[in-house]
Amino acid sequence: RKKTGATLQEMTPELAQGLEMNWRGLLVSSVDRGSAAAEAELQRGMVITGMDGQTITDVRTAAKRLYTKAKGDKVVMDIVMPRHRGAFMQYLQGRAELTIR
């Protein structure tokens, strides 16, 4: 959170089932206003599946990757964003680029 402004939590099987998601990664549980994550348009409920081309499935790996970055460095995150479409769930995949603060 300190470097990006986003609070992340590991996507456990129980959490994935409750959210009706089959994605492995880190769930964005909150985003600080005015943060790098907010500027990159990350939102609560998105799942980060990778950083800089590497698969990310646990908070420790993500933290290690982020703490190697200096202020002003960029990190590219692969994301999945769930969208409700009536009775159906649609999953959009994309990328977000953040500048480390």
Side-chain angles (χ1 to χ4, degrees):
R1 180 176 176 198
K2 189 175 188 178
K3 294 237 179 193
T4 64
T7 302
L8 307 175
Q9 68 183 91
E10 292 176 21
M11 183 68 81
T12 63
E14 297 81 17
L15 185 58
Q17 183 179 5
L19 296 171
E20 299 179 8
M21 297 180 92
N22 292 325
W23 300 97
R24 294 200 53 185
L26 301 176
L27 179 68
V28 177
S29 54
S30 69
V31 176
D32 297 340
R33 288 186 184 170
S35 67
E39 290 173 14
E41 299 182 13
L42 286 184
Q43 299 173 10
R44 185 174 183 260
M46 289 181 170
V47 177
I48 298 170
T49 59
M51 287 184 186
D52 293 332
Q54 300 286 331
T55 301
I56 299 292
T57 58
D58 62 272
V59 172
R60 179 179 285 180
T61 302
K64 284 180 183 178
R65 180 162 298 283
L66 290 172
Y67 277 97
T68 63
K69 306 261 183 200
K71 184 177 182 177
D73 285 352
K74 303 232 184 260
V75 61
V76 177
M77 297 184 176
D78 299 315
I79 59 169
V80 176
M81 186 164 95
R83 294 262 172 145
H84 289 282
R85 297 283 181 211
F88 299 98
M89 183 69 82
Q90 177 182 22
Y91 299 98
L92 305 174
Q93 294 180 294
R95 291 204 164 137
E97 184 177 275
L98 282 88
T99 303
I100 300 297
R101 56 178 173 168

